[in-house]
Amino acid sequence: MQFKHPEILYFLFLLVIPILVHLFQLRRFKKEYFTNVQFLKELSIQTRKSSTIKKWLLLFTRLLLLTFLILAFAQPFFPGKDSQKSTNEMYIILDNSYSMQAKGKKGELLKRAVQDLLEQTPEAQNFSLITTSESFWNTDIKSIQKDLQDLKYSATPFRLDNLIAKVNARKSAFNKDIIVITDAVGIKNNEAKSFKKEDNVYFVIPEAEQKNNISIDSVFIAQNLDNFYEISVELTSNGENSKAIPIALYNKNKLTAKTILDFEQSKKNINFTIPKEDFHGYVSITDKGLEYDNTYFFSISKPSKTNVISIGEAEKSGFMARIYTSDEFSFTNYPIANLDYNLLEKQDAIVLNELKEIPQALQTTLKSFVNKGGNLVIIPSQELNISAMNSFLSQFGAVKYASANGNEKKVTKINFNHPLFSSVFEKKIDNFQYPSTKTSIGLSSNSPAVLSYEDQSAFLTSVSNPISSVYVFAAPINKQNSNFQNSPLIVPTFYNMAQNSQKTGVNAITIGENQPFIVDALLSKDEILTIKNADESFIPVQQLLNTKVKMTFNDNPLLAGNFGIFNGQNEIQNISFNYTRTEGNLANINADIAADFEKTNNIETVFNTIQTDRTDTQIWKWFVILTLLFLALELLIQKFVK
């Protein structure tokens, strides 16, 4: 027991006063004999004994009364077990990612968490609230009530370590109480290592009742027909497999196709055929799980001719003219001596076909060309200067040539998962016609090989960035050295190496991944591009690249959808944005994330625990009651004890 005002205990010396009074009243009486009547003597003795008992009772009563009164003014209390933490600052980390859209016993998890905060947070409690998308520092529940009620889901996935870093960045002389409200979907154990040891961490983990969910993961062109695209929609079923899920395809908000989808396994692909023209729409499903991943927005631009230049001897480039036909490509071949450098920046792909040397001016131009989104294909010469070529290749990544090999080798392995062949083969093929080379040059790269020899060394490899690729062969493919030109592989290989996915494929950007995007636009220095639709508008980070503009989007837009790229009022191109699909698996709950911390199912318990553990137990009222009780007892003794 402790006292708020221990100095008042000095008044306990006042207890000597009733003792002195009592001693004064107990002084010895002088005997006076004035009668011989015996019964009067006995009556006097009995009266004196009764009076003595009454005086002792009054003494103890007054001593206790005065003692309890003094103790009451000293205000005794029992300190809370965590009373030393009563000065801690409070921080609340609230998960507002799309997995919190799942429904619990009382509705959507995020809305329920917000309602609990509004109802259970003490009005006098000062705290800071941090979400994935917003932060409120040094506030109280009344000040942010409307902001909490209007809180939207964030397109950015919940990263606990990032939010802890924000909390730790707030310098303070006090320790922190950190309350984390999350469903723990997709959280990794190492994300909790950012908590400081001196901080008190409480996890509130609401649980979804419905963990089954179907998501649309991606849309891609499965087959490129003469007048049509066959697009494939990839879906994932998390939880129990569902049946009879409706799926619909919309172009510019008009229904194009609709069907019923049955899930026999967790992954499912369904194909639609659409005309080979501009497509600006979405595909959607209806299921009982999360809503945010039921729609996938995408755009496909009407195909235009792809510009390809081959630099090398004309007689060695004839096979490319048969692949890059005039209906889809604008193909030209230039010997190195006659090359017009001004044409290079207008190309989509450049093929260096068995050049003995690459001039320094051309190397500089090609480096800029790749950075601006162009694809580069390198076919080595038998007289290759390996050292000079490796110096050139080092500008693009970890790929280089080694020593020449004079042995004949067969190409026996295809990387079916490589983007170059991802939509070429319906199934894996083992018994294709193996091409071979008489001589080759050792080729090493950190990237997986696209085509490999029988000894597992690379025949064709690539180095890719988000907007372009550099493809490198390990051997010349002229007819004197190789029969690769007669192989069925040559057409899809060279056809796809010339294509730019942003120009000929499905256009669908994932919000938050900061994926660069290049658009053909000739802008003056004062002009900027704007991305907008009916609901939202923003200006991306942009870089002028001669006749192109490279854009990055950071965490924009806030909402997924179909957008247009505008130069003033002129729409240049369509573009689409989608939420990341990492939140879709509701069964992916990391139950161990709170193993080293206090865990509960509701915010009320957390506030009650903090209040109970840090509040002192005041007992001065009991001493006041005891004082009044002994005061009443003294009055009763005075009245009834004779």
Side-chain angles (χ1 to χ4, degrees):
M1 185 172 68
Q2 299 179 12
F3 299 89
K4 285 188 177 181
H5 305 289
E7 66 276 6
I8 294 180
L9 296 179
Y10 288 113
F11 285 96
L12 290 174
F13 287 111
L14 296 176
L15 294 177
V16 300
I17 294 176
I19 295 175
L20 291 175
V21 171
H22 178 74
L23 292 176
F24 178 77
Q25 291 179 344
L26 288 180
R27 68 188 186 279
R28 297 181 63 86
F29 291 97
K30 185 179 179 181
K31 296 181 180 180
E32 294 289 344
Y33 295 101
F34 59 89
T35 179
N36 291 327
V37 182
Q38 184 64 32
F39 75 91
L40 290 177
K41 290 183 179 180
E42 293 177 0
L43 181 61
S44 174
I45 293 172
Q46 291 176 3
T47 302
R48 192 177 297 170
K49 289 181 178 180
S50 175
S51 178
T52 301
I53 294 173
K54 179 179 179 179
K55 290 177 180 178
W56 277 109
L57 288 175
L58 288 174
L59 174 63
F60 288 123
T61 302
R62 289 167 180 169
L63 287 174
L64 290 174
L65 185 152
L66 189 57
T67 300
F68 290 141
L69 181 62
I70 293 171
L71 291 176
F73 277 102
Q75 295 191 25
F77 66 91
F78 290 110
K81 65 178 182 180
D82 285 336
S83 58
Q84 71 276 11
K85 299 178 181 179
S86 58
T87 58
N88 283 13
E89 294 180 343
M90 179 172 288
Y91 294 82
I92 300 175
I93 297 177
L94 177 60
D95 182 357
N96 65 328
S97 64
Y98 271 100
S99 64
M100 292 285 283
Q101 198 178 55
K103 293 180 175 58
K105 294 181 179 179
K106 298 181 180 180
E108 293 183 17
L109 299 184
L110 178 61
K111 293 181 179 178
R112 185 66 253 174
V114 167
Q115 191 61 34
D116 286 344
L117 282 173
L118 294 175
E119 293 176 355
Q120 304 300 335
T121 306
E123 292 184 2
Q125 177 69 57
N126 188 270
F127 63 92
S128 297
L129 177 69
I130 304 97
T131 72
T132 303
S133 54
E134 297 183 63
S135 299
F136 306 93
W137 302 104
N138 294 328
T139 185
D140 57 73
I141 197 63
K142 279 191 173 182
S143 300
I144 63 169
Q145 179 176 350
K146 190 173 188 309
D147 295 299
L148 275 176
Q149 291 171 337
D150 296 337
L151 183 64
K152 305 297 183 183
Y153 292 100
S154 170
T156 306
F158 180 71
R159 285 295 305 271
L160 180 59
D161 50 353
N162 291 346
L163 301 185
I164 297 173
K166 285 186 179 182
V167 173
N168 292 339
R170 303 285 293 187
K171 301 301 181 182
S172 173
F174 305 101
N175 292 333
K176 299 179 177 71
D177 293 325
I178 303 176
I179 303 174
V180 182
I181 305 175
T182 177
D183 58 0
V185 171
I187 299 180
K188 299 178 181 178
N189 285 329
N190 58 3
E191 294 185 35
K193 294 181 179 179
S194 302
F195 287 117
K196 294 182 178 179
K197 293 182 179 179
E198 61 269 22
D199 293 336
N200 297 304
V201 181
Y202 305 86
F203 271 85
V204 180
I205 303 181
E207 188 174 354
E209 287 189 319
Q210 170 64 264
K211 291 186 174 62
N212 297 332
N213 181 56
I214 297 176
S215 66
I216 303 176
D217 293 336
S218 63
V219 175
F220 58 91
I221 297 176
Q223 194 171 359
N224 200 333
L225 306 175
D226 291 338
N227 298 313
F228 296 92
Y229 289 125
E230 186 178 62
I231 62 170
S232 184
V233 182
E234 184 179 36
L235 303 99
T236 299
S237 175
N238 297 300
E240 297 179 1
N241 292 335
S242 303
K243 295 183 179 180
I245 298 296
I247 180 170
L249 180 68
Y250 293 84
N251 184 16
K252 298 178 181 178
N253 294 322
K254 293 182 179 180
L255 181 64
T256 300
K258 189 173 184 179
T259 187
I260 298 296
L261 180 66
D262 289 330
F263 269 93
E264 300 85 13
Q265 51 191 9
S266 60
K267 291 283 187 180
K268 180 77 174 184
N269 283 59
I270 186 167
N271 294 342
F272 293 96
T273 301
I274 60 175
K276 220 174 195 180
E277 57 186 28
D278 284 346
F279 186 97
H280 194 47
Y282 58 93
V283 60
S284 67
I285 59 173
T286 303
D287 80 318
K288 297 179 180 179
L290 301 177
E291 295 181 7
Y292 90 100
D293 55 8
N294 288 350
T295 303
Y296 192 91
F297 299 92
F298 67 99
S299 302
I300 301 176
S301 298
K302 184 178 180 180
S304 58
K305 287 189 176 183
T306 302
N307 298 321
V308 182
I309 277 184
S310 171
I311 305 174
E313 298 177 11
E315 58 271 18
K316 293 183 179 180
S317 302
F319 73 95
M320 281 185 271
R322 296 189 294 273
I323 297 173
Y324 301 132
T325 56
S326 59
D327 57 335
E328 294 186 69
F329 296 89
S330 177
F331 173 74
T332 52
N333 182 81
Y334 288 91
I336 186 67
N338 301 332
L339 179 62
D340 183 357
Y341 280 43
N342 293 324
L343 296 175
L344 297 183
E345 66 179 24
K346 300 177 182 178
Q347 305 305 307
D348 296 303
I350 297 175
V351 181
L352 304 182
N353 189 12
E354 300 189 31
L355 298 181
K356 297 178 183 179
E357 292 184 357
I358 304 175
Q360 186 60 47
L362 181 57
Q363 291 186 29
T364 303
T365 303
L366 292 175
K367 172 64 174 175
S368 175
F369 171 76
V370 171
N371 290 340
K372 293 176 181 179
N375 290 342
L376 178 63
V377 181
I378 300 174
I379 305 173
S381 168
Q382 288 178 318
E383 302 173 15
L384 177 69
N385 184 330
I386 295 177
S387 177
M389 179 59 77
N390 285 341
S391 177
F392 171 61
L393 290 176
S394 65
Q395 302 178 74
F396 305 108
V399 57
K400 63 180 181 179
Y401 285 106
S403 58
N405 188 324
N407 298 325
E408 181 174 349
K409 295 196 292 185
K410 288 185 177 182
V411 178
T412 60
K413 185 178 179 181
I414 303 172
N415 185 353
F416 295 99
N417 295 322
H418 194 277
L420 204 62
F421 297 130
S422 60
S423 61
V424 173
F425 301 98
E426 293 183 1
K427 59 181 180 179
K428 293 184 178 181
I429 301 173
D430 296 324
N431 58 344
F432 67 97
Q433 181 182 351
Y434 296 139
S436 62
T437 59
K438 294 179 180 179
T439 62
S440 61
I441 306 171
L443 185 62
S444 63
S445 172
N446 289 342
S447 304
V450 182
L451 296 171
S452 303
Y453 286 115
E454 53 193 341
D455 62 359
Q456 305 303 315
S457 61
F459 170 66
L460 172 63
T461 189
S462 68
V463 179
S464 298
N465 61 48
I467 56 176
S468 63
S469 296
V470 177
Y471 299 95
V472 185
F473 282 90
I477 58 173
N478 59 69
K479 291 186 176 181
Q480 288 73 34
N481 187 64
S482 173
N483 62 350
F484 185 67
Q485 293 186 22
N486 299 324
S487 169
L489 281 175
I490 193 169
V491 174
T493 301
F494 273 83
Y495 183 94
N496 289 332
M497 285 193 300
Q499 301 291 348
N500 187 306
S501 60
Q502 293 188 348
K503 189 172 181 179
T504 61
V506 170
N507 175 348
I509 308 294
T510 300
I511 299 173
E513 291 189 356
N514 209 18
Q515 178 182 350
F517 186 84
I518 291 181
V519 61
D520 293 328
L522 184 60
L523 303 181
S524 65
K525 292 184 178 180
D526 296 331
E527 291 179 320
I528 57 173
L529 298 180
T530 303
I531 297 178
K532 60 184 178 180
N533 62 9
D535 302 316
E536 193 173 351
S537 175
F538 66 95
I539 298 174
V541 178
Q542 44 200 281
Q543 177 185 1
L544 296 180
L545 305 173
N546 298 329
T547 60
K548 299 179 180 180
V549 178
K550 179 181 178 182
M551 298 182 294
T552 51
F553 311 103
N554 297 324
D555 292 331
N556 291 312
L558 298 177
L559 301 176
N562 297 121
F563 290 76
I565 303 174
F566 288 83
N567 180 13
Q569 298 300 318
N570 180 32
E571 184 174 6
I572 298 174
Q573 187 175 336
N574 293 324
I575 188 170
S576 299
F577 293 89
N578 292 284
Y579 305 121
T580 180
R581 269 30 185 180
T582 57
E583 306 283 316
N585 188 359
L586 297 177
N588 187 24
I589 298 175
N590 187 352
D592 297 331
I593 191 67
D596 298 328
F597 310 100
E598 294 190 41
K599 175 185 173 183
T600 183
N601 292 324
N602 58 78
I603 190 69
E604 181 182 9
T605 303
V606 176
F607 284 120
N608 288 342
T609 300
I610 293 176
Q611 180 73 14
T612 302
D613 292 347
R614 299 180 187 176
T615 301
D616 298 332
T617 304
Q618 304 290 337
I619 58 174
W620 62 270
K621 295 179 181 179
W622 291 104
F623 284 91
V624 171
I625 293 173
L626 289 172
T627 300
L628 296 175
L629 180 63
F630 279 97
L631 178 61
L633 184 59
E634 181 184 358
L635 295 175
L636 293 175
I637 292 173
Q638 292 278 19
K639 184 174 183 179
F640 295 106
V641 178
K642 302 298 183 180

